[in-house]
Each structure stands twice: as C-alpha cells, then as structure tokens.
Amino acid sequence: MRTDTDGLIDICVALEQYPNSLYIYMRRGKRWIKLIDVCGSKIVNMATLNRIRFIKILPLVVTLLQLCLGQYNCWAQKLIFERVPPPPGLHPSVICGVQDLNGYMWLGTYQSALRRYDGYNYTLYANDPQNPNSLGANWMESLCADRKGFLWIGTLGHGLDKLDPATGNFQHHRFDPKNANSLSNDTVRTILEDREGKLWIGTQNGLNRYDPATGKFQHYFHQFNDPYSLSCNRVVKIYEDREGTIWIGTGSVWHGQGGETDDGG
C-alpha cells in the first residue's frame, strides 16, 4: 500500500473471488474507488484517474502488477493436457517416467516394454529371453536417470536393471540369498540417486544403498526391538531434501504387506 503526500490517496490491490478477478483500488478520504481491472486489462474509472496525480503512484502500480498479477496467473491459468499416443499396437499404460540428461523421456509401462520418447518418435526396449543383455522384464515399477547418463529400471519381481543408452545393453542386479551384498528383493518400487552419486533403492523387502564404485548393496530393515530402524520393510518412496536428508515412505495398502495400522510411515 502507498499513501500520497497529502495523506488522502491510498492504493491497494485486492483479489475478489466473486467475480474472480484482481482489482486496483484507490482511497480518497473514507471511500475506496475501483480504478483498474487487472485481469480484464482495463481502466474502470478513468475520470478519477484524470483527477488525481496518477504519475506519482504509477511506479507503485507497475510493481503491484508485476508481483500480484504474476501470482494470480498461477492460480487462474488454464492447464492444457496434451495426449501423447502410445506406439501402435502397444498398451497405453505408463507406470513411471523420468527425463535424462539429454532431454529424452523414458517411460516405464505395464508389460509393454520400456520406451524412450524424443518428442516425436519412440525407441522400444523389451525383454528378449534369447538375449541376456536385454531388459530383464517388461513390467516396470520405477525409473531413475543418473548423473552419468545411465538409466536404472526397477521391475516387478525381476530386480534392478542398469541401461547404458550408448550400447543399448542392460546389466541385471538380482537378489541372491548366497550373496549378502546383493539386492535385498527383486521387486523395486522406487529409486533415487543422492547428491553423492549413491543409489537408494526401495524394495518390497527392505531399503538398499548401492555404491556404483564397489557394486555392493547395503541393506536396511525394520527391527522389531529397534525404534530407530526402518519403520516398515515395504519401501514405496524415497526423497532427498535440500539439506541432504533422505526421507523414506513405507507401508502398503494391503494387509500382510505393511498395511497394518502401526506399519509404515
């Protein structure tokens, strides 16, 4: 708000819900006068503007427009959704997606191959039982594009895959009961690369921290007698905040899978 030197002119910006619009008001004495309809881009009361020393408050009006109208447009703008058709003959369901360093969109699907989309065309990567370097499974649960350009794919029941887009080859990581440093479970729900370049992998049974330098997985599980352990072994979401703290979302909607009242968090 700004008051003129004679103490009679105040300017304010007000958002009116009914009708949904943004107006600039001026106060003269005890009266508020509507001057400008911001959203309608029109002057409501030209006669009043002509009578006051408007040039003195013009910089204020411009500043208010920049601040308030920009914020208001965030509320009032119309969102437009553009449908991107799937490749011909393939299921349209997309379960997860991520953009890599080159700007490509990678889409994980329900039993319908991994897709790379360049804005115009798709490149498909599917499981081929005859090719051990192909995608491990066509049902994907999570994707992560790391800082080195590799793509990590979490699958339903077939572990964690690493794709080198330069070669098109997939490296597979599976749960191995004989290897304490392997992936803890083959259903991978979520993947995060932290600021140190380590991967955090949430599975159906435990949280994993993967070090690309050693190729080893460190496991974190719920311990019944330890209140500081993982709250539930079903890990569904991982997030790193600006302080570097890792947040873990756990639980399930299904009873017997971490969906009990006291499980998850």
Side-chain angles (χ1 to χ4, degrees):
M1 183 173 288
R2 160 85 175 262
T3 302
D4 200 359
T5 54
D6 61 8
L8 295 178
I9 299 176
D10 290 339
I11 296 295
C12 77
V13 174
L15 173 64
E16 294 186 1
Q17 186 173 1
Y18 301 104
N20 194 13
S21 191
L22 190 69
Y23 294 97
I24 293 179
Y25 284 82
M26 180 199 75
R27 186 174 69 183
R28 288 186 66 86
K30 297 182 179 180
R31 295 179 57 207
W32 284 99
I33 303 172
K34 186 182 296 184
L35 297 180
I36 299 175
D37 178 355
V38 176
C39 298
S41 301
K42 63 184 179 180
I43 296 175
V44 177
N45 197 326
M46 178 61 76
T48 301
L49 288 180
N50 288 335
R51 288 198 302 269
I52 67 174
R53 290 168 290 177
F54 189 62
I55 190 65
K56 299 181 66 175
I57 63 172
L58 183 58
L60 172 66
V61 172
V62 172
T63 301
L64 290 173
L65 286 174
Q66 291 173 337
L67 294 176
C68 298
L69 182 56
Q71 179 66 38
Y72 181 80
N73 280 340
C74 292
W75 302 332
Q77 66 180 339
K78 180 180 180 181
L79 297 179
I80 299 175
F81 297 88
E82 180 180 350
R83 184 175 186 271
V84 180
L90 293 183
H91 198 282
S93 177
V94 174
I95 296 177
C96 50
V98 70
Q99 187 175 36
D100 68 16
L101 295 175
N102 296 315
Y104 293 114
M105 290 299 303
W106 294 86
L107 307 175
T109 67
Y110 167 75
Q111 296 185 334
S112 188
L114 174 67
R115 306 167 189 174
R116 189 189 75 179
Y117 184 63
D118 63 7
Y120 301 95
N121 301 299
Y122 289 99
T123 300
L124 304 180
Y125 300 83
N127 172 257
D128 180 357
Q130 305 302 318
N131 181 6
N133 295 318
S134 69
L135 180 66
N138 288 333
W139 188 329
M140 285 138 278
E141 290 285 316
S142 52
L143 296 174
C144 175
D146 70 20
R147 66 191 64 186
K148 294 182 178 180
F150 297 114
L151 184 74
W152 297 84
I153 304 101
T155 70
L156 182 71
H158 290 81
L160 177 70
D161 277 9
K162 174 186 176 183
L163 169 64
D164 182 352
T167 64
N169 291 332
F170 292 80
Q171 179 184 359
H172 312 295
H173 298 275
R174 301 287 186 270
F175 167 66
D176 182 354
K178 299 180 181 180
N179 182 1
N181 296 312
S182 69
L183 187 67
S184 67
N185 185 267
D186 282 336
T187 292
V188 177
R189 300 292 189 186
T190 181
I191 311 167
L192 169 79
E193 182 187 31
D194 67 19
R195 60 181 61 187
E196 297 178 353
K198 304 298 191 296
L199 288 180
W200 294 85
I201 300 107
T203 76
Q204 192 71 0
N205 185 34
L207 173 67
N208 298 251
R209 184 174 182 264
Y210 177 73
D211 186 346
T214 64
K216 295 181 179 180
F217 293 85
Q218 182 178 356
H219 306 146
Y220 301 87
F221 296 103
H222 171 69
Q223 304 294 333
F224 181 75
N225 294 321
D226 183 0
Y228 299 105
S229 67
L230 189 66
S231 62
C232 176
N233 287 331
R234 273 70 177 178
V235 180
V236 293
K237 202 66 178 178
I238 306 173
Y239 176 76
E240 181 181 23
D241 66 21
R242 66 186 64 185
E243 302 297 329
T245 301
I246 304 296
W247 297 77
I248 314 298
T250 68
S252 170
V253 299
W254 308 110
H255 288 285
Q257 296 187 2
E260 284 66 36
T261 303
D262 296 330
D263 290 342

